[in-house]
Amino acid sequence: MKIAAQSSRILASTLAAVSLFSAGALAAPASTAIQVEREPTPSSAIQATANNGSPVTVTAEQAEGSFQVVYQDQEGQESSATVTASSPEDVIFACVVTEDGSSLRVRQGPGTSYPILCSVDNNTVFPKTGKTDGWVQIACNGRTGYVSEDYIVEKTTDELLNGGGSTNGNLTDSEYDGTLAQEIVNYALQFEGYPYVYGTAGPNSFDCSGFTSYVFNHFGYKINRTSRDQLKNGVPVEKSELQPADLLLFSRNGTTISHVGLYIGNGKFIHASTSTTGVIISDLNSTYYVNHYFAARRII
């Protein structure tokens, strides 16, 4: 086990916005020391165990060393704990699957007696951050939520993106950089579960065009800030020829762009969806997105 000794570079405001704890850790005292394994990576879900054996999950961008996290217990009271952070070697995703294709309720705790946090569409994907008593803990819109494991299919990053095969195995465009595209996709996936806030463009919250512009800007591609203007960026791509990191544009009325997202492969895309769900992965072939799909642009 490697325990970092340096203090965190994370600001307290960042911690308050993105720290998530499982229900089992709600009673942990403020001075609880939490030991975890492996090195941290930005924006990943961090699995940890308190000295009292309670499981703890923290999501923190640029987490390094020991730092304070702030969270709310079931009564809404703020508590804090000191953690020494790192992330899992491979993120496991929770894919929502309902028999009739209906939406699924996300609870604030592991049971139907807890209040409803939000409802999510069938085939929506979230980072899995824990599991307790038949309920899967997920990161949803900057908060911790719980869904019954009966409606969850777990997938690794590789399975999610390409079913275990090569995402870019059928490239036909000689100008397309599949390696860079995968780096862009992997970077975007780190923000899944972050909050949606209109008018923001990172790093702690996003609206739809703020999210795509933030991701591309990280790699040196300065695209327009608004969804309407992002239609002017890149080159047109047919829907049948989509590749990872292509920009997807949607329209409610068939003429004006109202939403954007980033294609990640295997019929999925990541986007800052709504103030209810935050940054999520959705199925491009779902009825809503089929009906509102407008165009795609290749930026890289």
Side-chain angles (χ1 to χ4, degrees):
M1 175 180 293
K2 183 175 181 179
I3 304 298
Q6 300 298 320
S7 60
S8 172
R9 293 174 293 161
I10 308 177
L11 295 175
S13 58
T14 300
L15 290 171
V18 301
S19 296
L20 306 173
F21 277 73
S22 68
L26 293 176
S31 60
T32 297
I34 302 167
Q35 304 298 314
V36 295
E37 299 181 1
R38 296 187 292 273
E39 287 296 321
T41 57
S43 306
S44 296
I46 300 165
Q47 298 291 344
T49 303
N51 290 343
N52 62 2
S54 298
V56 176
T57 299
V58 179
T59 298
E61 186 179 11
Q62 304 291 345
E64 180 177 301
S66 298
F67 58 94
Q68 285 291 115
V69 292
V70 179
Y71 62 99
Q72 287 187 338
D73 60 22
Q74 292 183 15
E75 284 70 45
Q77 300 298 315
E78 284 195 352
S79 299
S80 64
T82 302
V83 300
T84 303
S86 71
S87 64
E89 293 176 349
D90 188 16
V91 176
I92 300 297
F93 294 93
C95 180
V96 174
V97 178
T98 58
E99 291 184 1
D100 58 359
S102 60
S103 59
L104 182 66
R105 292 174 176 175
V106 179
R107 299 281 178 174
Q108 294 182 20
T112 56
S113 61
Y114 286 86
I116 297 171
L117 179 63
C118 64
S119 293
V120 296
D121 293 334
N122 187 42
N123 288 323
T124 304
V125 182
F126 298 90
K128 175 188 172 185
T129 55
K131 185 176 179 180
T132 179
D133 297 329
W135 289 77
V136 175
Q137 181 190 74
I138 61 174
C140 179
N141 200 27
R143 300 180 63 184
T144 294
Y146 294 83
V147 291
S148 170
E149 65 178 347
D150 294 337
Y151 302 100
I152 291 297
V153 174
E154 296 182 3
K155 295 184 178 183
T156 64
T157 303
D158 186 58
E159 291 170 337
L160 174 68
L161 296 182
N162 50 71
S166 173
T167 305
N168 303 313
N170 297 313
L171 294 182
T172 57
D173 185 353
S174 60
E175 300 297 322
Y176 176 78
D177 187 339
T179 300
L180 174 59
Q182 198 60 55
E183 291 178 2
I184 293 173
V185 167
N186 291 342
Y187 181 73
L189 288 174
Q190 295 178 356
F191 298 100
E192 189 187 8
Y194 272 48
Y196 175 103
V197 177
Y198 180 76
T200 62
N204 300 321
S205 64
F206 306 90
D207 62 18
C208 67
S209 56
F211 176 66
T212 51
S213 62
Y214 183 86
V215 170
F216 280 114
N217 285 349
H218 178 78
F219 292 88
Y221 293 88
K222 305 298 182 182
I223 69 173
N224 296 326
R225 172 61 180 86
T226 68
S227 57
R228 293 183 183 184
D229 287 340
Q230 286 183 5
L231 180 64
K232 304 172 185 177
N233 294 124
V235 296
V237 179
E238 293 296 326
K239 190 175 183 181
S240 60
E241 298 177 353
L242 288 174
Q243 298 285 5
D246 284 345
L247 187 69
L248 305 179
L249 303 109
F250 303 89
S251 173
R252 296 191 189 97
N253 59 16
T255 57
T256 304
I257 302 303
S258 56
H259 191 63
V260 293
L262 185 73
Y263 188 65
I264 64 175
N266 200 32
K268 306 287 186 182
F269 69 104
I270 187 168
H271 57 135
S273 180
T274 68
S275 58
T276 300
T277 56
V279 179
I280 60 174
I281 294 172
S282 297
D283 187 350
L284 185 59
N285 297 313
S286 65
T287 301
Y288 179 86
Y289 292 111
V290 167
N291 292 339
H292 293 86
Y293 181 88
F294 187 85
R297 295 291 183 264
R298 184 157 297 161
I299 305 299
I300 66 174

